Each structure stands twice: as structure tokens, then as C-alpha cells.
Amino acid sequence: MSSAHEANPLRDPADRRLPRIAGPSGLVIFGVTGDLSRKKLMPAVYDLANRGLLPPGFALIGFARRDWADEDFAQIVHDAVKEHARTPFREEVWQQLLQGMRFVQGDFDDDAAFEQLGATIQDLDKAQGTGGNFAFYLSVPPKFFPKVVQQLKKHGLADEQNGSWRRAVIEKPFGHDLASAKELNAIVHEVFAPDQVFRIDHYLGKETVQNILALRFANTLFEPIWNRSYVDHVQITMAEDIGIGGRAGYYDGIGAARDVIQNHLLQLLALTAMEEPASFDAASLAAEKTKVLRAVRLPKDLGSATVRAQYAAGWQGGEKVIGYLQEEGIDAKSKTDTYAAVRLGIDNRRWAGVPFYLRTGKRLGRRVTEIAVVFQRAPHSPFDSTATEELGQNALVIRVQPDEGVTLRFGSKVPGTSMEVRDVSMDFAYGESFTESSPEAYERLILDVLLGDSNLFPRTEEVELSWEILDPIEQFWDRSGKPAQYPAGTWGPVEADEMLERDGRSWRRP
Amino acid sequence: MKIDLTDTTASKINKALVQGRRAIGTPAVGMVLTLVIVTDEENAYDAMRAAGEASREHPSRTLVVIRRVSRTPRDRTSSRLDAEVRVGADAGTGETVVVRLYGEVVGHAQSVVLPLLLPDAPVVVWWPVNAPLDPAQDPLGKLGQRRVTDTYAAEQPIEELTARSEAYTPGDTDLAWTRITPWRSMIAAALDQVNCTVTSVVVEGEEFNPSCELLAMWLAERLGVPVERTLSPGPGLTAVRMETDCGPVALDRADGSLATLSVQGQPERAVALKRRETAELIAEELRRLDPDDTYAAALSFGVEHLYDATGAPVREPGSEARETAGPDGEQTGSGAAEKSAPAKKAPAKKAPAKKATAK
């Protein structure tokens, strides 16, 4: 595709109005009847088409067990788009998409169904001009990954012919520990080349996460103080107010740390702590991220620097909710964590001695994800201690979701005759002003898959390094004790508060 | 909330803005630019609505400058400034100030606007109608990094286009150009898919629509092939047909919303190409505030070169219904052709020089 771009006289780097449109291609969604597909993927495809970013003749193939005709499938997509799409529904955009929509019915071990899929792809190449370029989106439980991937191989669907591409898109979890992650990678890479495998971490598609790089590297203001001389510690939080809902089967045995810390939080840590990449291409970014992940050190005493817990029955925002052990389908003796907090260090010149506190949990106070860089107190204050009693530590908070934006907290004099300094916030509210036009993470990521741009996708090494960080913690937890309990609707167990108190710090209330 | 000020000054307006923000409890504002809309009473409503919608993507302070017509000598010699300050829910995501100028102050609008610009933030001046011939030299235009005109709204669009080309200063842009971005991206995408060399192009669209000329000039400038401009009843642009060394590539849009892309040897494909609302155009325009070099290059190519780019165009007489065909252009196109004929001599010589300065 890139060679065609060079040859195309209408493409000019200076012409910045022209958007990046994906080349001729199609998307095959396995598990198309699932929640993710209906709530995120289909609307994202429509939104891309509505913004004019999909190629003419784009094809969408659904693969699932249901006995549907193409029309039934189109109806499901239609309903999903109407309900969940970000941009207004427009009939002509729908007509454009409709022409390339197909449904293939079958089980994952059904050879005939995969033959049918192959025939549908060839048919679309003829009817829609997709040029043999297809991305296979595996929106299925991880236990089916090997099956689907091997079926794709067996029926020649992963073979790239005459310059076309075939890509695989997989969702987390990428294994449940280092060994299983390596096994999964081996299975996928046996069929698809490593650079044709796209691991979706939808956090990386969020505007606010991409903004971390802009904030750090496009400005001069923050980078000089972004180090151990000024930063006291960093807190990265991802809190959910919901319980496990109907996901008992998936969640039990996995837990919060594997579900969230291993991918989302460690990626956020890498972006916050990494050095400036040589350029913004995928290779340079991955190089810096792996470098910083490699420098992550676990605390010596895992018992005092990690906390895991389960939510107990309680009141969540005015609603009475049951505890984790009472959830349907959960063993009453389960040791799975629904809350996890860890302290990590980064052994390099920039960060030595600065703790990074990562926490995540379900049934916490409210749904929020943020990165708080908390700065040291001024080494000397000319004011009386009474004047600065109410002054906290300066902080820069990147609010990833919701209410996307950046907050800077600093002290300011309270108007009046006496000198009194109090914390105030300076706010950049991305969310308030830009939400209506900010693309959904999945839009960006699907477009990047079609364009072959792997900037925002974690690589194999990053996934494996993350497991190397988490595995010892999980093993320690397996060996010793059992999870603490915290009432639903609070900000986690007292053990977590004590963990920070021992360091002379406290959790921010996000 | 809305604050009305009669017979006022810029500093009183500034005070009202601060007062309004305090009253609704959001003293800190994240506005990224000032949009100055210069218009008459008739077009103010539509322009403000478009700006309000665009402000969702680009929170901005919108200053609407309305020059009132004075009908008596007494009115002309007196002078008055009325303002309407809107903040909060009444003003999209930013603030809107509508200033109405009466009498002498009409000629000194910049003195009112200057104190009301946001500190540091870029300034965009937009004339929905009646844009000055040289926007960069206009007293209000001088205040802006970006000057947005709309030749589509002009009485003589093609002449106006020529004038824009002569007066082009980096930072100028035109909504007639913005309108064709979806076309340009789709044509570029179509050429991404084939490995062919284009030999000639026909751009077909309604009369008095400068977007057609701009698209034709862009194609001619980029491809270096003769480009023919033909007429159709519209709506807007209706087709771009390219002859290439591997067969025709055509994008047809008969109904103004759903287009068909046909490429030799490939199946026909439907493409959504809707004509866009002004709000979307303004939102696109505000997305980038640096000079648009591609627009400059297309504009300076010159309307008159559409016909004789390579000297000797091979074409049947029937297809000469272009507005710019020259005195012998026939039927519908002839009126415009005669009017634009005198104007096009000058830029023909100037074009190369302009092109050099624009880069």
C-alpha cells in the first residue's frame, strides 16, 4: 500500500486535510453476536464509514453459531449502530456499508463453515474489490484462540497472496501468566507474522492516553520536572463501580491484577515513565516502552508492598449490593482478587527511589481512571507553618476517563488580610469541550489495524515483560494468606491505606 | 445567560463577559480560539448557529460583527455600538458576543474587536458573505491568522476566485475549498487502489459553483494533465471522470449523497459523499490554523488554465460548455464566460509568481 501512496500524485504530505483512508480491505469478526461486537466494534465501523475513513467497497463479515441470513445480520448491525454509534445515523452511509456485509454461520471446529468463509472472502474480492486484504477480529473467549487460528491456517485463510495482507486482531487477556502468554504467542505467530498480529488494549486508543505523549514531549513545561528530583511518587488508578456482573466464569481465577494491572496499568506506567522516543513510529515507541518495563523492580517484601482484596456486601451509590463471594457462580472459598494494589520501583537514573503505586478494583467509589504525578513539597517555605497548613503536595493529574482532561494542583493565597495558602486546581477539561468529536478508542484502533499502523498496540515483548512483573506477585499471593475484604462502594481495603501510610503517603481520592 | 448592552464600548463588553462567567460559576474557560464572524443582519443567524455547533469541537469565543445600514445622513454621522453577550448554555461551549455597529463606527470595527480577542489564542475571521477582495489587507482580516471566505456565496463566483488567487496571502482559505475535501480524499483513495497514470480528467458540476473549479484546478495542478470542466444541473459536484492508461476511473454522484465509484476491471462500489452543513465545514476549517499550501497551489493554478493546460486540448465542441471556455463558450456557460473573460488575463501572468511566494 505504501508504494501506491508514493506513486499517487494526489497524495501530498503538505495536504493535511486529506484523512488517512484505509486501503481496500475487509474485517471478519468472530463472535459477532457478543457484547463487545455489538456495543463497540459494529458502531466503530459505522462511525469510521460515516467519517469517510473506510475505503469504498469495505467488507464486514460476521462469523457466529447463530443461524442467520445476511439480512438478519445486517439487521443486527443496523440496530447496534442505531443504538450505540457516536455519529448520527445516515442512510447513505448505511447503504455503502450494507453492500459489503455478509454472515457466515458455523462452529469453530466446523470445517465447512471455514470453507464457506473462504468462499465469501473470494466472493467479496470480486464483488467489492477488497483485494484479498482481511483482518480477522477474534472477539471470542481466549480458550477458542488456538482453535480459530488453526482453522484459519488449515483453510489457507491466513495466507497472503500477491501483495495482499491478512491480519489477526486479538483482545485481552493475552494469557494468564508468562508461560501461557508465550504459548499463546507461539500459536498465533505460527500462523500470522508478528507484525500482522494486533493486540487490542483499548486504553491505548483513548485520546487522553495518546495525550500523555503530547503533554510530555510537545511541551517544555513538564519534562524538566518529570524525574526523581521533583516527583515524590506516582499513583495510577483504575476504579470501576460495577461488580463482576455475569462474567463469573471469566473472572474467577483471573482477578483484578491479571485483568487490569498486567495490561492497562502497566501500559500507562510505561507511557508515564518512558524516555523520549527517537520518533513516533511503532518501533521507537515499543523500544522505549520495553526499556522502561525492563527497568521495573518489584519491592523486596511483597507482603508489605502489595494488597489484594475482595469486595464484601455493602451499599454502592444508594444501592444494596452483594459481596464477591456471594456472586452467582463464585466459589465461596475463592481467593480471586477484585482489588489489587502494588508498589513498583523503576531502576533508572530518572526514577530511582520514586515509587509507582498501581491500584485497581471493582465496586469502588466511582468509575475513574487517572494518573497522578505527585510532586515533592517545597524544600523550604518562607511562610509560617500555620499559613501552609492546608497546602497539599503539588500534583499533575491526567484524567483518562471519564471527564477526560488534565488538572494541575498548586497552592494559592486565600484572599484576606492574613497569609493563608490553600490548594487550587487549574483544569484543562478535554471531556467537556471535545467529547462529542473525540473518536472512540475502537474507531482509532480498527482504522490503525486496516492501515497496518501498530503504534498503539502492545507488542509481544511488552506483554511478556508485563507478565514477568506480575507473575512473582501472583505467586506470592497464591502461597500466602487470603484476600482482605472491603465494603462495596468504598475506596478499597484499610490494608491498602496502611500500605501507603507505612511510606508516609496516602491515596488520592480520585 | 444573556446580557444586553446598548450604546456601549469594548471595555464594558469585557466586563459583562467576566460578570456573565462568574454568574454561571465557570470562571476558568478552556477556549482555544477567537472566531470573528463579519456579516450582515440577514446572514447572522445561520452563521451563528453554524459557529455554535462548530464550537462543540473547538470551544471558542465567537464575536459576531454586524454592520447596520444607515439610511439617513443623521444616522451616518452619529455612531453607536450595541452588544449582546451570551455565556453558558446560550453560547454553545464558549462565549458569544454579538456587536451591532451603527453609523461612523461601522468603518472602525477592528477597534471594537481588538480588545475582545482572547489572549494568546489564534484568531479566525470568517465572512459568510460579502468578503473583502483582499482579506489579508482588510482591517478586520489583519487581526486573524486565518481568513475564511466563501466564494460560493458570491454573485460572480469564478471572478471572485480569480480575485482570491491574485490577493492570496498565506492563511487565506475558502469554504468552497473545504466543501470538496471528501471528494478529494475519495479520488485520492481511488488512485491508491490502482497503479495507473491519469491522462485526462473531466470535472462535472453545477454552474456558478466554484468548488468544481477548485477541484478541477487541484487535479490539474497535482496530476499535470488537461482537466475539463463541464456543466450539469447539480446538485453541487456530480462527477469526476479520469482517463488512465488502464481504463477509466469515475466517481459519480447524481443525488448529492450516495456516489458510485467505478474503476476499470473492478466492481462498482457505493460511497457515501454527503453535501455537508456549514457547521461541519467551519469545524474542519478550525482544525488546522496553519496556511493551506495545497489550496494556494490549486488556486494559483488559475481558472483559465483548466482549458488549455497543455496547449492543444483534444475535445469535441459539445463539451465546451465550461464557464471559462472563452467567448465562444455556448449555451448556459456563455454568460459567465464573457464576464470572466477580461478578468482572467492578469492572473495568467501572475500565477507562477504567486505560486512561488505561496510555498
Side-chain angles (χ1 to χ4, degrees):
Chain A
M1 199 176 69
S2 59
S3 62
H5 275 239
E6 283 155 29
N8 187 348
L10 296 182
R11 294 273 176 210
D12 175 10
D15 191 350
R16 301 203 284 170
R17 283 175 199 259
L18 290 196
R20 306 181 307 161
I21 294 188
S25 54
L27 182 67
V28 182
I29 304 179
F30 291 98
V32 76
T33 49
D35 247 19
L36 177 79
S37 162
R38 279 188 298 115
K39 288 195 183 142
K40 297 287 183 188
L41 304 183
M42 295 174 188
V45 167
Y46 171 82
D47 287 331
L48 283 174
N50 201 359
R51 286 159 71 210
L53 300 178
L54 290 184
F58 177 79
L60 179 66
I61 305 179
F63 188 104
R65 207 176 306 154
R66 304 271 171 96
D67 188 11
W68 281 346
D70 287 350
E71 295 78 47
D72 303 325
F73 175 53
Q75 188 58 41
I76 296 294
V77 182
H78 185 270
D79 294 347
V81 165
K82 275 234 164 143
E83 195 176 345
H84 300 290
R86 180 178 63 85
T87 54
F89 187 82
R90 281 168 31 192
E91 190 58 33
E92 68 274 9
V93 176
W94 176 249
Q95 289 303 330
Q96 174 188 345
L97 272 180
L98 191 59
Q99 288 191 348
M101 236 177 257
R102 301 286 187 276
F103 183 76
V104 178
Q105 190 239 334
D107 273 323
F108 297 137
D109 41 17
D110 181 358
D111 283 339
F114 279 83
E115 283 302 316
Q116 176 66 29
L117 179 61
T120 308
I121 284 176
Q122 281 176 4
D123 175 48
L124 282 167
D125 281 347
K126 281 198 207 85
Q128 294 284 104
T130 37
N133 301 317
F134 278 86
F136 299 100
Y137 200 119
L138 275 62
S139 176
V140 297
K143 62 179 176 203
F144 293 120
F145 283 3
K147 187 87 225 164
V148 176
V149 169
Q150 271 147 19
Q151 283 282 35
L152 289 174
K153 187 186 179 192
K154 182 172 165 194
H155 295 276
L157 293 173
D159 299 343
E160 303 177 343
Q161 285 157 350
N162 343 323
S164 69
W165 51 256
R166 295 290 162 98
R167 298 186 178 131
V169 186
I170 52 181
E171 281 270 349
K172 70 163 193 183
F174 313 121
H176 53 86
D177 57 15
L178 181 60
S180 62
K182 280 191 166 160
E183 194 184 328
L184 176 70
N185 285 335
I187 290 169
V188 178
H189 289 170
E190 188 196 326
V191 180
F192 292 95
D195 58 340
Q196 301 291 26
V197 179
F198 291 77
R199 289 174 188 78
I200 296 255
D201 182 336
H202 67 270
Y203 261 67
L204 298 186
K206 285 186 186 293
E207 287 288 336
T208 29
V209 173
Q210 295 166 44
N211 193 36
I212 297 174
L213 298 178
L215 180 91
R216 289 191 55 200
F217 302 123
N219 298 306
T220 51
L221 197 54
F222 306 111
E223 207 49 22
I225 54 169
W226 210 260
N227 55 51
R228 66 185 307 267
S229 311
Y230 296 91
V231 176
D232 181 62
H233 68 283
V234 177
Q235 297 186 9
I236 305 180
T237 304
M238 178 182 156
E240 288 174 287
D241 51 5
I242 52 168
I244 55 160
R247 298 205 305 154
Y250 162 73
Y251 202 83
D252 199 41
I254 296 284
R258 287 195 181 100
D259 191 35
V260 174
I261 292 186
Q262 183 270 333
N263 38 61
H264 304 322
L265 294 195
L266 283 176
Q267 283 288 330
L268 293 183
L269 175 139
L271 290 171
T272 309
M274 71 182 202
E275 298 295 319
E276 184 175 57
S279 75
F280 276 95
D281 56 48
S284 314
L285 269 175
E288 293 304 334
K289 283 202 284 179
T290 34
K291 209 166 87 189
V292 76
L293 286 175
R294 241 182 257 287
V296 168
R297 288 292 170 270
L298 292 174
K300 283 203 181 67
D301 178 11
L302 284 174
S304 69
T306 67
V307 170
R308 62 174 165 154
Q310 291 170 336
Y311 59 84
W315 286 82
Q316 160 94 61
E319 204 185 342
K320 192 166 189 199
V321 296
I322 53 173
Y324 178 71
L325 296 177
Q326 288 92 53
E327 295 271 5
E328 201 187 322
I330 301 292
D331 179 1
K333 287 202 261 324
S334 170
K335 282 169 76 182
T336 304
D337 48 315
T338 67
Y339 176 99
V342 299
R343 185 186 75 208
L344 300 175
I346 297 178
D347 276 3
N348 61 22
R349 186 169 280 245
R350 187 194 280 261
W351 293 117
V354 178
F356 281 70
Y357 298 101
L358 274 49
R359 65 170 160 168
T360 180
K362 292 195 175 289
R363 286 262 185 250
L364 294 181
R366 69 184 182 99
R367 171 175 167 263
V368 62
T369 303
E370 62 166 41
I371 301 166
V373 180
V374 182
F375 294 95
Q376 295 166 10
R377 286 184 181 277
H380 165 76
S381 168
F383 304 109
D384 293 343
S385 62
T386 51
T388 54
E389 215 165 356
E390 287 179 68
L391 177 66
Q393 283 166 286
N394 294 162
L396 180 88
V397 183
I398 299 169
R399 304 193 305 271
V400 176
Q401 73 170 19
D403 187 22
E404 295 84 346
V406 181
T407 303
L408 197 56
R409 283 187 72 74
F410 58 95
S412 173
K413 182 184 173 300
V414 179
T417 47
S418 65
M419 178 47 99
E420 194 189 334
V421 183
R422 183 186 290 174
D423 280 337
V424 293
S425 314
M426 201 152 73
D427 242 2
F428 158 59
Y430 220 104
E432 274 169 23
S433 326
F434 293 94
T435 28
E436 293 202 42
S437 53
S438 291
E440 270 278 333
Y442 278 98
E443 269 176 79
R444 173 68 196 266
L445 295 175
I446 290 177
L447 181 64
D448 280 357
V449 168
L450 298 176
L451 287 164
D453 190 345
S454 61
N455 258 357
L456 300 178
F457 298 86
R459 299 208 161 176
T460 322
E461 315 84 272
E462 291 168 53
V463 172
E464 294 183 359
L465 279 169
S466 306
W467 282 121
E468 276 174 36
I469 296 167
L470 194 61
D471 273 356
I473 298 176
E474 290 283 354
Q475 283 154 13
F476 172 79
W477 284 348
D478 276 348
R479 282 197 309 271
S480 46
K482 57 181 197 141
Q485 301 279 319
Y486 61 100
T490 62
W491 280 111
V494 281
E495 285 81 354
D497 296 339
E498 287 164 6
M499 170 182 142
L500 257 72
E501 254 164 50
R502 283 195 287 274
D503 297 348
R505 301 190 175 93
S506 66
W507 291 107
R508 270 175 51 85
R509 181 167 41 75
Chain B
M1 71 181 289
K2 215 160 118 178
I3 303 170
D4 276 315
L5 301 167
T6 319
D7 201 0
T8 188
T9 62
S11 77
K12 285 182 190 155
I13 298 174
N14 259 328
K15 248 183 226 159
L17 276 169
V18 174
Q19 189 197 335
R21 267 191 249 137
R22 288 233 172 110
I24 60 167
T26 53
V29 282
M31 290 178 292
V32 293
L33 58 90
T34 309
L35 175 63
V36 182
I37 305 175
V38 189
T39 178
D40 52 17
E41 201 69 69
E42 189 189 340
N43 292 288
Y45 176 77
D46 285 341
M48 270 156 65
R49 211 179 55 168
E53 278 172 39
S55 80
R56 279 188 217 148
E57 186 172 335
H58 309 278
S60 54
R61 176 178 288 178
T62 308
L63 305 176
V64 186
V65 180
I66 300 173
R67 294 189 169 109
R68 298 297 296 248
V69 184
S70 307
R71 291 201 170 75
T72 63
R74 190 173 49 256
D75 280 351
R76 271 190 285 279
T77 49
S78 69
S79 167
R80 199 179 94 205
L81 167 66
D82 289 352
E84 203 181 303
V85 176
R86 302 178 191 176
V87 291
D90 291 316
T93 59
E95 307 169 330
T96 302
V97 181
V98 184
V99 292
R100 292 190 167 80
L101 312 174
Y102 302 82
E104 264 188 298
V105 71
V106 163
H108 304 280
Q110 76 279 12
S111 75
V112 180
V113 170
L114 187 68
L116 296 178
L117 301 176
L118 287 171
D120 275 348
V123 179
V124 178
V125 188
W126 171 32
W127 293 268
V129 286
N130 297 336
L133 283 178
D134 191 347
Q137 292 308 313
D138 180 85
L140 279 172
K142 269 186 189 163
L143 299 174
Q145 272 92 331
R146 188 97 174 177
R147 295 162 296 275
V148 184
T149 55
D150 189 358
T151 44
Y152 185 68
E155 183 75 32
Q156 297 285 344
I158 311 307
E159 277 183 17
E160 185 119 341
L161 215 50
T162 313
R164 293 268 164 271
S165 155
E166 279 180 78
Y168 179 81
T169 311
D172 286 0
T173 175
D174 198 287
L175 291 187
W177 170 250
T178 320
R179 282 189 186 90
I180 57 175
T181 306
W183 278 84
R184 296 196 303 123
S185 68
M186 202 41 71
I187 297 167
L191 286 192
D192 280 342
Q193 303 187 11
V194 291
N195 217 343
C196 310
T197 311
V198 179
T199 52
S200 73
V201 183
V202 179
V203 175
E204 181 194 274
E206 67 184 3
E207 201 184 354
F208 303 117
N209 188 337
S211 293
C212 307
E213 271 74 16
L214 279 168
L215 181 63
M217 291 194 287
W218 175 65
L219 287 167
E221 199 271 333
R222 296 296 313 173
L223 298 170
V225 298
V227 176
E228 191 182 329
R229 155 81 162 104
T230 63
L231 292 179
S232 76
L237 268 159
T238 51
V240 171
R241 303 197 181 89
M242 295 184 279
E243 284 301 328
T244 72
D245 56 5
C246 45
V249 175
L251 191 58
D252 275 286
R253 184 189 68 178
D255 63 355
S257 68
L258 193 65
T260 313
L261 175 68
S262 35
V263 179
Q264 176 90 3
Q266 289 183 23
E268 285 203 350
R269 283 166 291 198
V271 183
L273 264 187
K274 196 178 182 288
R275 307 191 72 194
R276 295 184 295 170
E277 304 285 329
T278 313
E280 291 172 70
L281 302 178
I282 286 295
E284 174 182 327
E285 214 40 76
L286 299 182
R287 221 163 280 153
R288 301 209 175 270
L289 297 174
D290 50 341
D292 189 339
D293 294 338
T294 315
Y295 168 66
L299 191 64
S300 66
F301 180 80
V303 176
E304 68 285 351
H305 287 104
L306 283 184
Y307 186 53
D308 43 37
T310 52
V314 190
R315 190 175 317 154
E316 291 103 66
S319 64
E320 291 199 357
R322 301 169 306 118
E323 293 154 48
T324 52
D328 57 346
E330 50 170 87
Q331 23 160 326
T332 45
S334 61
E338 264 149 29
K339 280 182 211 123
S340 66
K344 70 188 193 183
K345 294 288 179 278
K349 276 172 265 150
K350 266 189 170 173
K354 278 285 165 198
K355 207 167 169 178
T357 52
K359 287 276 154 73

